[in-house]
Amino acid sequence: DIYDEEIVNEVEDYQILVYLTKEGFFKKCLPASIRVSDVHKLKEGDEISQSFETRNSGEVLFFTSKAQVYKAKLDDFDTVKASALGDFIPSKLSFDDDERVVCMLPVEDYKGEIAMFFENGKAVRLPIDVYQTKTNRKKLVAAFFDKSPLINAIKIKEGAEYLVISNASKALLVSEAALCKKTTRTSSGATVFTLKKNQAIIYAKEYGEGSLKLENEKKYRKASLPAAGVTFEEFKQETLI
């Protein structure tokens, strides 16, 4: 008799911290090692752009400049210390020529929704499971709206607000409830930030701890969208990460 058995590799499940730099380097670290030393080794001119606390048994999605998403199992990355450069993701995951990482999103499961903000002022709300696959496919083409560069992809928390800033030094606070819901991953959603000619969105992050701060939050909240941004007096483009 012949028995077909599916071989399942056991993945160790433990808490990790993951980091992405602006240049595309990725590190997976243990919280204990970061408590000992949180001084990151970086290439000259590079800086940490994102950091998350997650689980080693999960996956990570890398959103790229060519509207593609690359999936990787976090267990496939070596655990390193902050003093290491880490993995250069375009090489590690065999990106196309001139393709770069825009942002990453760790996923422990594919529940919940994601908010995506684009350079042209549009934003969309999608279920995260649009990126779930039955096979171990690592590269998803036509992964999101490609008519305007992606600025950020953020997992939605109930009641969250997003600080969105244009290159004209104007800002808006956008509520998660105001985002247009779609189920097709290439959907553009709807315009949330009205832009004039030659203006573009350059920053979009969840507002709160770790984001830029506004002196008078109320004036950046608008009763309806789309809306023109409000001048951000404290804004300095060189401070954006």
Side-chain angles (χ1 to χ4, degrees):
D1 294 333
I2 298 174
Y3 296 92
D4 288 330
E5 292 187 5
E6 183 179 353
I7 298 174
V8 178
N9 293 321
E10 291 292 331
V11 175
E12 284 191 81
D13 189 23
Y14 49 86
Q15 187 181 38
I16 56 173
L17 297 170
V18 293
Y19 301 88
L20 180 70
T21 76
K22 289 178 71 174
E23 297 297 323
F25 285 88
F26 174 85
K27 302 181 192 185
K28 182 179 82 173
C29 304
L30 295 175
S33 73
I34 295 298
R35 286 194 290 271
V36 172
S37 175
D38 62 355
V39 179
H40 285 277
K41 181 179 181 181
L42 302 167
K43 284 200 166 185
E44 186 176 353
D46 200 4
E47 56 191 324
I48 300 291
S49 60
Q50 288 183 289
S51 63
F52 293 94
E53 183 179 304
T54 186
R55 308 289 303 179
N56 187 61
S57 57
E59 298 183 345
V60 59
L61 307 178
F62 293 99
F63 296 77
T64 81
S65 57
K66 292 193 175 182
Q68 300 184 140
V69 166
Y70 290 76
K71 300 173 61 175
K73 296 183 184 300
L74 286 164
D75 188 55
D76 289 342
F77 293 92
D78 293 332
T79 301
V80 299
K81 294 181 179 180
S83 57
L85 267 179
D87 288 297
F88 185 54
I89 291 303
S91 295
K92 173 89 174 176
L93 300 183
S94 302
F95 276 21
D96 295 342
D97 292 342
D98 301 321
E99 190 171 19
R100 63 178 181 81
V101 180
V102 175
C103 59
M104 71 170 175
L105 182 69
V107 286
E108 295 178 27
D109 53 39
Y110 283 85
K111 297 177 182 177
E113 295 177 300
I114 183 172
M116 305 183 78
F117 294 87
F118 299 93
E119 190 179 273
N120 64 359
K122 289 181 178 289
V124 67
R125 179 177 183 145
L126 295 172
I128 296 176
D129 64 13
V130 297
Y131 297 112
Q132 190 170 21
T133 55
K134 294 181 180 179
T135 63
N136 286 327
R137 218 162 14 127
K138 292 184 177 179
K139 177 180 176 180
L140 304 179
V141 299
F144 53 88
F145 177 63
D146 64 356
K147 299 299 187 291
S148 182
L150 177 69
I151 299 300
N152 205 357
I154 310 162
K155 186 171 183 181
I156 290 176
K157 298 176 186 174
E158 186 176 354
E161 286 184 302
Y162 305 99
L163 176 58
V164 186
I165 303 174
S166 76
N167 59 358
S169 302
K170 292 191 174 183
L172 274 181
L173 283 173
V174 178
S175 164
E176 54 88 10
L179 297 174
C180 178
K181 288 189 178 185
K182 296 290 184 180
T183 55
T184 302
R185 65 191 190 196
T186 53
S187 297
S188 62
T191 300
V192 295
F193 200 121
T194 305
L195 299 167
K196 293 183 179 179
K197 188 177 180 180
N198 298 324
Q199 292 182 358
I201 299 303
I202 56 173
Y203 179 98
K205 284 195 175 182
E206 184 177 337
Y207 185 63
E209 186 178 351
S211 72
L212 296 174
K213 294 298 179 184
L214 303 170
E215 290 293 328
N216 180 7
E217 296 176 0
K218 288 184 180 179
K219 71 178 183 179
Y220 297 97
R221 297 186 179 105
K222 298 299 179 182
S224 62
L225 296 174
V230 177
T231 301
F232 185 6
E233 292 91 346
E234 309 86 26
F235 169 69
K236 292 182 180 178
Q237 189 163 332
E238 61 269 19
T239 66
L240 293 185
I241 296 177

